[in-house]
Amino acid sequence: MQIYQLDEIINLINHSQPVCGILAESGCFIKIENYLPIICASIHSGKQLPQSLKQVCTLNESERYLGGSPLCDELIDAQPITLICLDSLFEYDLNQPKALCTRYQTSANTPLWRNKLTNKQVKSAQLKHSYFFQVYDLLLRKLESLYKHIIVFDIRSSQTVAGNDMPTFIIDSSQLNLNRWASVVDKLKYNLGQITIPNVKTLCSIQTQSLKANFLATHTNTEFERTLIIPIEISRLYMDESGTHHYPLVIDALKLGLKNSLSGTSAYLQRVTSANKKLTKADMLGSSIDPYVLTLDTQLYRLSQKFSTLKYINPKNLVSEKKRFLSAPSRFKPKFTYLQLTLDANEFKRQLYRLDIHKISDPAVKRLYSDIINNLSSQVDLLTSVATDRFLHHSLGYYGKPDSDAINNAQFLLYAKPLPEPEERLLSASDAAELMSTQAKAWGMNSNVSLSASLLAKAMIKSSPTQLVVNLNANFSASEVQRLIAHELGVHMATSLNSKSQGLKILRLGLPGTTQTQEGLAILAELASGHMAHSRLNMLACRVLAVNSMIKEQDFYQTYSYLVDELSMENDAAFTTTARVYRGGGFTKDHLYLSGFLQMLSLSNQRDLTNLFVGKTSHQYLDLIDELVTRQWIKPAKYTPCLQQQAPTESAQKLNYLIESLRT
């Protein structure tokens, strides 16, 4: 932790430079990531006490700790500007004027000190009090020179845990000019009331707490006309009464809730008092990536960068087993073989869970990395069970299974009257690859297009190096080539290339839920290209029903026969679809294509999806991704070619009507 002299702090603030460290002359931690119109203070969470005072204090360490506002400093850690007093309020209380800042009695009105404090001890405490307010005043003057209005949140905790009818949050209105600031205070109350806390009914009230000392508010209101200070008291529902046991889930929920509530209220204040009406809570958060996040991100990427799921799930002997099966489908069951796993699963998990996410200050980012680590652990379970009876169980846990809506949608598409499609001559794999390569160059994508005989799909993106691989054994219609260009290049290649420009390497690995989102976007891109066909949707529907059949029957030939006899698939396509869902021992991923498409289509009608292209993203984190793009933690997507919507043809309009009839 860096230690600053007072004159260093003054110089840094005067020159609008970032600060993160302790003021040497006082037990004050100061963090200034960006000079934004919001300050969060926790002036009663400190525990430090000089040894000379410890020796004469009548309270033990636990009593002193509980007498303050424990953990409130942690709860505001994600804010861009924080002022935290590390010293115990029993040495000097920043909510009292300097002359009265030294306490002499406990809350029980018993003597606080066994011996009378010396003049030196009292003056030392008062000097630390003065240093804090010098920094505080300088910072507010700086911010008031940059913004029309500033907001300060004074965060403290109550002495009790909230009951069913007691507020979780109390906004102290004793020194608030509600005639002037009523709408801002109401906005804060609403925001705090929306915080979700495990097993707690969140209540927020506005109360006048005139008996509580509040010098920080008094001083601010006296000296700074354009600064609104709001004291917030939080119930101690994040720990037990003794302070021995903390509740991590509650703490994380409070940190995330306060991050959103305080930044959202600050943005609201700026919108109603300035000309900028488009400010969001993301604009009130720091734009510098937490250095620890970059360190952990690099460690996670190095550990997981060679991690590949499909490499070990795709059969090595697919071509020979396909020939063998199709020669006599009822007599032969494919016996797929797979690459040996080079990963030491136990060692990988050990290193994975050694990554210390608890040092990440932003609660939403911390939750994201926690989810990624758990997701990678589940992928390991999937890979270590390839070709065993356990594989289907892990696949269901990781990818899920089609629900009743998905099955009904699939059946609706297949039973609907087929929409006519023009007759097109078939192109060879090499001709298709050439067209795809030409389009990639036109979009400025510096990537290779190659041929392979070992693909189950007609084409796919491989990431190391980033290239588009086309199935050598497949033929393609012109429309199909255009769909693959939109799907593979317009989404998968675009997100792969965009991810490589990001400072956060997790966007190369893929976020939890990335399969459904990325495949959904890719099919949405096919629709936007104007080359979507009813037969293509039917193929996605067949995949859903094939997964459902595999789960129920667990018999390769039965699923194959179902696709051929009941769904009228051609033998070759039926084998490929069946092999896709039986590979590894029962791979349920294929049901996500249709549901992902419908989900992305619905979402695209509600909000902008551009930021889903910054890397291997997931729609469940879109709010956070939007925030991190605004905060400049993530660069905007360079490649978004598939977002260019084509004018719908008459046949496309009919297809859209069919799609709109599906359940989302």
Side-chain angles (χ1 to χ4, degrees), residues 227-241:
T227 295
L228 166 62
I229 180 168
I230 305 179
I232 303 173
E233 186 175 279
I234 304 172
S235 170
R236 288 190 191 171
L237 44 82
Y238 48 80
M239 61 194 299
D240 66 1
E241 292 184 3

Side-chain angles (χ1 to χ4, degrees), residues 6 8 10 23 37 40 45 80 101 111 142 231 236 259 323 340 387 462 470 475 552 622 643-644 663:
L6 181 60
E8 290 181 281
I10 292 172
L23 178 61
C40 290
S45 55
C101 71
K142 179 67 177 180
R236 288 190 191 171
K259 169 196 167 182
K323 183 177 180 180
Q340 292 293 344
K462 289 191 174 180
V470 179
N475 292 316
K552 288 182 175 181
L622 183 53
L643 294 180
Q644 301 166 10
R663 297 177 181 176

Side-chain angles (χ1 to χ4, degrees), residues 292 296 354-361 366 369-370 373:
Y292 182 75
L296 184 136
R354 284 184 63 188
L355 298 173
D356 190 1
I357 62 171
H358 300 290
K359 293 181 181 178
I360 299 175
S361 60
K366 174 187 172 184
Y369 277 87
S370 176
I373 288 171

Side-chain angles (χ1 to χ4, degrees), residues 401-415 541 544-545 547-549 552 562 591 594 663:
K401 65 179 181 179
D403 59 20
S404 59
D405 281 347
I407 294 170
N408 290 335
N409 284 335
Q411 292 172 339
F412 176 82
L413 286 170
L414 290 166
Y415 297 155
V544 172
L545 298 179
V547 170
N548 190 51
S549 171
K552 288 182 175 181
Y562 169 66
H591 82 94
L594 182 58
R663 297 177 181 176

